[in-house]
Amino acid sequence: MQRTIVQPPVPGDAALAELKHWLAITRDGEDQALHRVLEASLTICEAFTGKAPLRQTVEEIVPLTSSWQELVSRPVRALTAAAVIDADGTRTALATPGDALEWRIASSACLRVVQPLEGQSLAVQLDVGIATDWAGLPAPLRHGIIRLAAHHFRDRESNASAVPPASVTALWRPWREVRLG
């Protein structure tokens, strides 16, 4: 299974303003660095919880098989496109993915091919994320992302650990989805 982010999440101006308020920064000179730590904090939040906090578009490449396959990305909001990939890498878009694929969403998204398709694998494009924008993000996730971004911004000169502090993981833990190997 290969996963590629097609359109990354966009924290937006509200997230930047919240982080600047948390850090008591009033000038705009640090905005670029703050955006970078916000993006990194979103990525760490997704890695910790197993769920994309903000809406993003991802592509997953899965084998062509009629058995159910669990997708890596969570939570899936919609299947937006699908294409069959030939051995030479050529892609053939499925005009109506719903006719060739069956999919279900519960705690995770699964799909299977229900019509015979010729090719090596299948690329599915997915709209994923807990919230569509910063304001819609549940407060514990949002606050944890801000605290982690602030932590990394303050410790940017040192070799700070990528492991989130306990104060952040405590906020995220209820959202964490643990999968057994």
Side-chain angles (χ1 to χ4, degrees):
M1 174 103 40
Q2 179 184 349
R3 178 180 186 259
T4 305
I5 297 174
V6 176
Q7 166 121 24
V10 179
D13 293 337
L16 179 63
E18 195 171 331
L19 178 58
K20 287 174 83 170
H21 178 75
W22 181 265
L23 290 167
I25 294 175
T26 57
R27 60 192 185 285
D28 295 335
E30 302 288 350
D31 286 4
Q32 188 175 8
L34 293 172
H35 273 294
R36 284 195 306 270
V37 295
L38 271 171
E39 290 167 359
S41 296
L42 281 166
T43 301
I44 294 168
C45 178
E46 182 176 356
F48 183 85
T49 62
K51 298 175 184 172
L54 287 179
R55 183 182 206 165
Q56 58 185 296
T57 304
V58 299
E59 178 183 81
E60 290 193 28
I61 298 177
V62 297
L64 273 176
T65 179
S66 62
S67 60
W68 284 104
Q69 299 179 75
E70 187 174 11
L71 300 175
V72 173
S73 301
R74 287 176 172 70
V76 175
R77 298 166 133 326
L79 171 71
T80 57
V84 174
I85 303 173
D86 294 330
D88 65 359
T90 305
R91 291 180 178 222
T92 306
L94 298 177
T96 52
D99 293 344
L101 305 173
E102 180 180 1
W103 70 299
R104 63 182 181 210
I105 299 177
S107 64
S108 64
C110 299
L111 69 79
R112 71 178 178 161
V113 177
V114 293
Q115 287 183 352
L117 297 172
E118 295 292 324
Q120 180 176 337
S121 54
L122 181 69
V124 291
Q125 197 168 86
L126 308 162
D127 183 18
V128 301
I130 293 170
T132 57
D133 59 14
W134 185 256
L137 200 57
L141 292 175
R142 191 174 64 240
H143 189 62
I145 291 165
I146 292 297
R147 288 184 72 131
L148 182 61
H151 171 76
H152 284 293
F153 183 77
R154 287 184 194 125
D155 294 339
R156 66 190 177 277
E157 300 300 324
S158 67
N159 290 330
S161 170
V163 176
S167 60
V168 171
T169 60
L171 292 165
W172 291 347
R173 194 164 284 114
W175 293 90
R176 190 171 197 178
E177 189 170 300
V178 180
R179 293 187 240 177
L180 300 175

